[in-house]
Every structure is written in C-alpha cells, then in structure tokens.
Amino acid sequence: TSLGLDLVPGSGLLAATVPGAWDGWLTLLRDHDDKFARGVLLNSYGWTLLQHGEADLAAPLVREALTLVRLLGLPHVLNPVLHTAGAIALARKSYPEAVDLFRESLAVGSEHPTDQFYDLEGLALGLVGVGSDDERALSLLTAASVVRARYDFRAEPYWQERLDEARSVCRDRITAGRLRAAESTGERMSLAQAVSYALTAQPLAEDQDGLVSARELHVATLVAEGLTNRQIGQRLGISPHTVARHVTHARTKLGLRSRAQLAVWAGRHTP
C-alpha cells in the first residue's frame, strides 16, 4: 500500500514493512472519530509489535488504546488491552506495573472467565519478576496450566518460553516441600478460586501498612470519610477512574474484599 503496510501472515493484523511506515498509518487512524475502532486497532498493532520484540514501540500505542477504551467503559474491550499493556510491562521488566495491570485485568474480566487463565499467568510472571511471592506465583501458573490442558489452549511460543522460565526460577528459589505444596494448591483450585486467590491474597510481609503507597493511603482515608470517587477526585485533582484504581490497588494489597473494609482499615491506621 501507499503506507508500506502488509498483513502479518495468519494474523490479519497490520505491520510496517519499511522504517517509519507505521507513523503514517497511525496518523490516519488517529484522525478517525470512532474511539472503539481506534482503541481496538491500536491494541492489535501494539500486540503485533510486541510479538516482534518491539515493546518500546508498542508501549505508547497501547497506552493510548488504554485511555480510549477506559473512556468507553466496556469491560470486554478493556480486558484485552490491559492484558497487552501488562505483557508490554513484562517485556520492559516493569514488573510492579505488570502486576497492577494484570490484577486490574482479572478484576474486569469476569464477563469472559475462560480467558482469565491468561491474566493469571501474566500476574504470576510479574510476581516472579518482583520476587515478592514465588509460591503464590507458582500456584497461579499451575492453576492456569490446568485450564490450558483441559481446553487444549496452546500458548504462543514467546509466552510459553516466559512461563517455562518463570517455573524454573520458582523451582530454584522455593524449597522442595513448599514447591510441591504450591503446585498442589494450584492443581486443586478452580479457575474462580485462582482468580480470587490472585486478587485478595497478600504478599508475605511483616509490615502490612508498608504495602500501601502514600497516595493509596490518602485515598483510603477519604473513603473512610464517606466520599465518593468523584468527590475524592475533585479534592485531589485526579479523575474518578484514577481514584477507583487506587482503591482497587489498596484493597488488593491489603487483602480486603470491599470498599467498606478499606474504610474500616483506613480508620484504624490513620491518625
């Protein structure tokens, strides 16, 4: 084509065949008024770039896609974009960011539960990268592998390589007895139980307060005052969605199941 774009064989996705060609394609795409189409196509193109080892090029595209689909408020669209963003964070070794993105993807992906095994794997890879909870990571990897085996879902070669490497790291860092226990836990869990475990279980830490960032603590304090996300956002100068993300992250880190529990926790841990 005039932009130097061809189809990736077997994928139906666009990829640039000459240096700089994707810039022209993105200019045309961004001129389009359909936010849904722009978000989906930016995500697809970002995923294609990631498969070709171009995580740094993919990152801004998928970040833009994420902004667009958040505005749409459609969980079934948001979920795959969060997954792509998480995979990019893994490729760039931004492991804490990957953990947050895959946890959010799990939280919004309940409409398509059979796909959640993929986010469980991503979260486990992030945990292994952080080095905070290898046993939980191995349990999640095992639970996801059970789902893959049951439905004969094969991982892409590059993704399978990451999974194998993560299991190897876990086996090197976990003692034999704990290793088998972690794998047994994963084998026994249903997919729903694995998702719940991923979203609510705590990393091992002596100081629970230290798990929550200063901004998350501030937001939790305002939740305890009875403010809505919109009211908190107005007070802090951030969007209601950003407030909701802070609330979700704080609850996840603290192992709390509801906003009310977060309010109680904040009331006990702030002056």
Side-chain angles (χ1 to χ4, degrees), residues 48-220:
T48 299
L49 287 171
L50 177 62
Q51 306 303 299
H52 288 78
E54 299 289 354
D56 288 339
L57 286 178
L61 308 188
V62 177
R63 192 179 304 119
E64 182 177 347
L66 198 52
T67 298
L68 289 168
V69 298
R70 286 193 194 285
L71 292 173
L72 293 173
L74 300 174
H76 69 284
V77 180
L78 178 58
N79 178 249
V81 181
L82 284 167
H83 181 90
T84 304
I88 290 171
L90 288 175
R92 302 176 85 191
K93 302 187 186 304
S94 300
Y95 298 119
E97 179 187 4
V99 167
D100 286 344
L101 287 164
F102 283 115
R103 276 194 170 134
E104 184 180 357
S105 191
L106 282 168
V108 303
S110 58
E111 291 186 12
H112 300 278
T114 56
D115 294 334
Q116 289 184 303
F117 72 91
Y118 213 171
D119 289 325
L120 287 175
E121 292 172 340
L123 174 57
L125 293 175
L127 290 174
V128 172
V130 172
S132 63
D133 203 340
D134 292 333
E135 291 176 47
R136 181 168 294 109
L138 184 57
S139 292
L140 297 178
L141 287 172
T142 303
S145 70
V146 170
V147 176
R148 281 194 180 276
R150 181 180 304 140
Y151 296 104
D152 195 26
F153 292 150
R154 308 261 179 107
E156 300 94 333
Y158 101 98
W159 189 253
Q160 186 62 56
E161 184 178 344
R162 298 202 69 133
L163 297 177
D164 293 341
E165 180 182 354
R167 288 191 184 92
S168 178
V169 170
C170 288
R171 287 165 183 159
D172 286 342
R173 297 198 301 213
I174 302 174
T175 60
R178 291 181 176 274
L179 177 70
R180 182 55 200 149
E183 290 178 330
S184 178
T185 296
E187 290 166 356
R188 294 196 310 269
M189 284 192 293
S190 67
L191 180 58
Q193 289 171 330
V195 171
S196 178
Y197 182 50
L199 291 176
T200 63
Q202 279 305 307
L204 301 177
E206 295 181 2
D207 181 10
Q208 196 178 53
D209 297 354
L211 297 173
V212 179
S213 69
R215 176 50 66 93
E216 290 163 352
L217 177 60
H218 193 180
V219 169

